[in-house]
Amino acid sequence: YRETNSIDTIKQVYEGDVNLGIIRFFDDEKNYFINHLQSKELEYQELYQFKYQLLVSKENPLVYQKEVLLKDLNNQIEITHGDVSLPSRKMGTTTRSQELLERKEISIYDRGIQFELLASLIHSYMWVSPMPKQVLDRYNLTTLICKDYKVKSYDWLITRKGYHLSKEDQNLVAEIKGIIANNWGIYQKE
């Protein structure tokens, strides 16, 4: 198991370093990734599609608002991963919103610290896919829907063309699909 970004995952599968990978990307990147995967003769299948949510401390003032809008994030600190799918891509740029382009940000590379930061910096947030309840409870976090953020994202399984999944690969993929179905349904509801 290796955790990396989508571009490096594609490279590792293409070069045969790994047999399969999971990539994540935004809806407006879909054509880019289809073309990139096809140029490498990689096969792909959708595992999950979702809309990002805000992950915040249960102490964050946003929790007490009736609804959260992008403009409400102006006085918050965004915690981002330094290895997003496309090198120059920022989460907020998918909205084309000037307000988010001038935001406060902490960029991390060690994902192990993200939940502690959110729990201790109550005026901070992250954009996340749906989160398991046990993680939320453990770190005293909650997720919020941002009403005017409508960008869809995807998780796709990729393999080299003609690669036949081993028994272990099949078990892993079945476990992932089971977790998705049992925790979030096949697709995130509107």
Side-chain angles (χ1 to χ4, degrees):
Y1 173 81
R2 295 181 201 163
E3 187 173 357
T4 186
N5 62 51
S6 295
I7 298 298
D8 287 344
T9 300
I10 291 169
K11 181 177 187 262
Q12 290 172 2
V13 172
Y14 173 72
E15 292 177 353
D17 296 335
V18 298
N19 294 323
L20 58 97
I22 297 174
I23 60 172
R24 174 170 287 174
F25 56 90
F26 298 109
D27 191 43
D28 65 355
E29 298 172 329
K30 189 173 184 177
N31 287 335
Y32 168 83
F33 278 99
I34 288 172
N35 290 333
H36 192 55
L37 293 167
Q38 288 175 343
S39 75
K40 304 281 188 194
E41 296 187 347
L42 297 176
E43 296 179 345
Y44 52 91
Q45 66 174 282
E46 183 177 300
L47 292 173
Y48 189 50
Q49 64 176 268
F50 60 93
K51 291 182 182 164
Y52 275 91
Q53 303 169 1
L54 295 168
L55 181 63
V56 299
S57 165
K58 287 183 179 176
E59 309 300 319
N60 191 309
L62 295 174
V63 172
Y64 305 104
Q65 292 183 198
K66 184 175 179 179
E67 66 181 19
V68 177
L69 301 171
L70 288 168
K71 68 181 176 92
D72 297 323
L73 303 178
N74 287 340
N75 295 322
Q76 298 274 323
I77 300 167
E78 182 178 6
I79 298 173
T80 63
H81 294 139
D83 57 356
V84 293
S85 60
L86 293 176
S88 62
R89 187 67 179 259
K90 296 285 188 206
M91 186 69 181
T93 61
T94 60
T95 66
R96 311 292 188 246
S97 170
Q98 185 61 31
E99 294 170 1
L100 282 180
L101 294 176
E102 299 169 0
R103 69 192 185 280
K104 301 171 195 153
E105 177 181 346
I106 297 172
S107 185
I108 60 170
Y109 290 86
D110 177 6
R111 284 168 166 70
I113 195 171
Q114 63 192 358
F115 301 130
E116 288 87 359
L117 280 173
L118 286 165
S120 62
L121 300 172
I122 64 166
H123 293 281
S124 66
Y125 69 94
M126 286 186 77
W127 291 102
V128 296
S129 57
M131 298 291 296
K133 182 179 179 343
Q134 57 269 43
V135 172
L136 297 174
D137 292 345
R138 179 177 178 191
Y139 293 98
N140 196 36
L141 302 173
T142 190
T143 55
L144 304 171
I145 301 297
C146 185
K147 185 173 178 159
D148 55 351
Y149 187 79
K150 307 278 187 200
V151 177
K152 192 178 353 176
S153 295
Y154 299 91
D155 287 345
W156 280 4
L157 176 73
I158 62 170
T159 59
R160 285 182 308 286
K161 190 173 186 173
Y163 175 74
H164 296 288
L165 297 179
S166 70
K167 186 71 171 165
E168 292 81 12
D169 294 340
Q170 292 172 21
N171 289 339
L172 174 64
V173 171
E175 186 69 24
I176 291 169
K177 288 180 177 180
I179 290 169
I180 291 168
N182 291 330
N183 289 298
W184 305 295
I186 298 302
Y187 298 108
Q188 176 180 319
K189 303 296 181 208
E190 295 292 324

